[in-house]
Amino acid sequence: MQDDAHDLPATVDALMDGLRSDLEELAAIPSVAFPGFPSGPVHEAHDLLVRLLREAGVQNVDRIDLPDTAPVVFAEIPPPDPAAPTVLLYSHYDVQPPGDESLWLSPPFEPTRVDGGLRARGIADDKSNVIAHLGMLRAYGGRPPVGVKIVFEGQEEYGSAFDTYPQTRPERFACDAMVIADLGNLRPGTPTLTTGLRGASEVVVEVRTLEEPRHSGGFGGAAPDALLVLIKALATLHDVHGDVAVEGLRRESWPGTGYTEDEFRTLAGVHDDLPLLGSGELGERLWSGPAITVIGLDAPTVEGAASAVVPYARAKLNLRFHPRQDPTEAQARLVDHLRSLRPFGVPLTVTPGDTGPGYEAATEGPAYRAARTALQEAWGEDAAYVASGGSIPLVNGLAQAAPDAEVLLFGAQDSMCNLHAPNERVLFSELRNTVLAMCAFVREYATDFRRDTAG
């Protein structure tokens, strides 16, 4: 194709039938890389992508094998000339487990047409973005105006040794910009650049007060109840408004775009008669401030409850923190808060778990200028800036491997696609526009990069 802006929409539209077909074939493979699931489908998805890359004109296709990790597809296209930049393209081909299949309207690994799109597990997260990368390569006949490095990961959802691999081989991942396509738009039809990711940490807090349960009639009222102690401790984590009350966790106003309250209520499934937690703008609560969630609780079940003072209770906490806050410091703030407590005079046992950094992108370089132009060209309106309350650990690994590279996060998902939930879907309009945006991005970036380098 000619890389003229007027030719791009027609070129992408002509590719869409083939891309939809490839997406259906890829989504039909149950490539779940979690323990207990067969590894065969993961390798089948890997081999399909290798074939599709070669058919798209990519000659240098390799794989990265690490211990206890699904194979990583690694491919390269050299720059067309020494003045051209190199762009790293990332997405992953593994998917979340389907969960309770009775909640699906169709079998999770039988891609099913829905209004304007396709439904299947992993179709949005992240197989649509894998296909979007392939679409850009096809549009340019395997010879885009930039050098390309392709990373298709096979165990992102569960986590693997690849999270920390790039910084051990920085020369392999050296680039001028990277497109991390594991995200998408704030809402369908709204082009979106994600510029921040909150960090994540886990902490376990437990209480043991008695050797064994004791009759609540004979001992309740004086014998310390471990569950009451734990509940009193957990209640200190938030103030009366629902804002996090742990000192030292960073919170700032959010300057970008955000959800409306009605949108968020619909997405979260909040009952109409209930308030949202916290105060301030939603973007501040979701993206540039902390959140603490009790994600697990060990305590007697209601159905099996006995009339006894509880001797032992335990909770697992998930902390999300500001993209720029140090992960060790953020976790230490929560741990110190809990260890300082003595509910009813009873000490707590607090055990730090995993912690990972957030990420905040610089947005003023040539790659971001090119991306803003490209997204506007694809969707017909200016891009919104949002952050994500989730985390993508590999982003920091890649950023450390290529510290001078601009990091762009956009893709074909949207906030209503039900990722990680039953009935996940992707819209063809978002896939088409993402392919078009990626095509326009490499065109604009090659031009801007040369201009900036010459300047």
Side-chain angles (χ1 to χ4, degrees):
M1 64 161 280
Q2 299 295 315
D3 58 354
D4 185 89
H6 297 294
D7 293 331
L8 278 177
T11 299
V12 170
D13 287 340
L15 292 171
M16 283 304 298
D17 284 346
L19 293 174
R20 283 194 290 263
S21 177
D22 291 333
L23 179 57
E24 289 187 35
E25 183 179 3
L26 183 60
I29 302 173
S31 50
V32 180
F34 278 61
F37 288 82
S39 62
V42 177
H43 290 271
E44 182 184 355
H46 167 275
D47 294 346
L48 172 60
L49 290 179
V50 169
R51 175 172 66 81
L52 292 176
L53 283 169
R54 294 192 188 282
E55 291 174 354
V58 184
Q59 298 179 359
N60 186 1
V61 183
D62 198 359
R63 61 185 277 166
I64 298 172
D65 288 300
L66 298 172
D68 302 315
T69 299
V72 178
V73 179
F74 184 83
E76 292 183 272
I77 300 172
D81 60 74
T86 294
V87 177
L88 185 148
L89 305 176
Y90 170 86
S91 51
H92 63 87
Y93 64 87
D94 65 304
V95 303
Q96 280 282 321
D100 183 354
E101 296 192 23
S102 69
L103 300 177
W104 286 76
L105 299 175
S106 55
F109 294 107
E110 291 183 13
T112 302
R113 293 294 177 106
V114 297
D115 186 20
L118 279 171
R119 177 173 60 235
R121 168 54 86 226
I123 197 109
D125 181 20
D126 194 34
K127 291 179 176 179
S128 59
N129 286 321
V130 173
I131 295 299
H133 287 318
L134 284 163
M136 184 276 288
L137 297 174
R138 288 180 186 173
Y140 284 101
R143 294 293 177 267
V146 297
V148 172
K149 294 184 178 182
I150 297 162
V151 177
F152 291 159
E153 189 179 2
Q155 198 169 305
E156 189 273 345
E157 297 290 6
Y158 182 72
S160 75
F162 189 63
D163 286 348
T164 55
Y165 175 76
Q167 55 265 54
T168 70
R169 293 288 305 277
E171 74 287 349
R172 196 167 197 179
F173 300 92
C175 59
D176 299 292
M178 57 186 79
V179 177
I180 309 295
D182 192 12
L183 290 160
N185 291 336
L186 181 68
R187 59 184 70 89
T190 299
T192 303
L193 287 164
T194 298
T195 60
L197 302 170
R198 279 199 297 199
S201 181
E202 290 185 346
V203 172
V204 172
V205 55
E206 54 190 317
V207 183
R208 185 175 294 280
T209 56
L210 307 172
E211 291 299 323
E212 58 188 12
R214 285 289 187 263
H215 192 295
S216 58
F219 296 91
D225 183 320
L227 186 53
L228 282 178
V229 171
L230 181 60
I231 291 171
K232 190 169 181 65
L234 297 179
T236 70
L237 299 176
H238 297 84
D239 65 17
V240 294
H241 304 292
D243 293 312
V244 171
V246 175
E247 291 292 331
L249 292 176
R250 187 168 178 173
R251 176 170 173 165
E252 297 174 356
S253 61
W254 173 248
T257 308
Y259 298 113
T260 66
E261 184 170 313
D262 286 343
E263 283 178 326
F264 182 78
R265 283 179 171 278
T266 299
L267 289 171
V270 179
H271 294 293
D272 292 339
D273 58 341
L274 295 179
L276 301 182
L277 294 183
S279 60
E281 296 294 328
L282 275 175
E284 187 175 332
R285 283 180 268 174
L286 297 172
W287 300 329
S288 59
I292 299 174
T293 306
V294 181
I295 60 172
L297 187 66
D298 290 340
T301 63
V302 172
E303 288 188 358
S307 297
V309 180
V310 176
Y312 175 77
R314 180 172 67 157
K316 188 171 189 178
L317 308 179
N318 179 263
L319 167 67
R320 302 287 170 154
F321 50 88
H322 190 285
R324 290 199 303 272
Q325 185 157 23
D326 178 82
T328 303
E329 177 200 11
Q331 185 183 63
R333 294 288 189 171
L334 176 56
V335 169
D336 290 346
H337 174 94
L338 290 166
R339 286 177 176 167
S340 71
L341 301 175
R342 293 292 186 275
F344 307 116
V346 177
L348 309 174
T349 299
V350 184
T351 305
D354 293 337
T355 189
Y359 182 79
E360 187 169 70
T363 61
E364 299 305 321
Y368 262 86
R369 291 199 300 271
R372 287 192 291 267
T373 298
L375 268 66
Q376 202 284 333
E377 183 174 322
W379 272 274
E381 61 181 82
D382 291 340
Y385 278 12
V386 304
S388 171
S391 57
I392 307 175
L394 185 65
V395 170
N396 284 281
L398 289 170
Q400 290 176 38
D404 297 325
E406 293 182 70
V407 180
L408 300 142
L409 296 102
F410 67 92
Q413 302 169 20
D414 65 82
S415 62
M416 302 172 188
C417 69
N418 284 350
L419 77 165
H420 292 210
N423 303 306
E424 181 179 350
R425 65 100 180 102
V426 72
L427 297 176
F428 293 137
S429 60
E430 301 303 283
L431 175 61
R432 181 262 186 193
N433 289 346
T434 300
V435 177
L436 179 55
M438 288 184 176
C439 291
F441 166 69
V442 295
R443 181 200 69 215
E444 291 294 313
Y445 184 45
T447 301
D448 277 10
F449 187 87
R450 286 185 172 90
R451 185 186 302 122
D452 280 17
T453 303

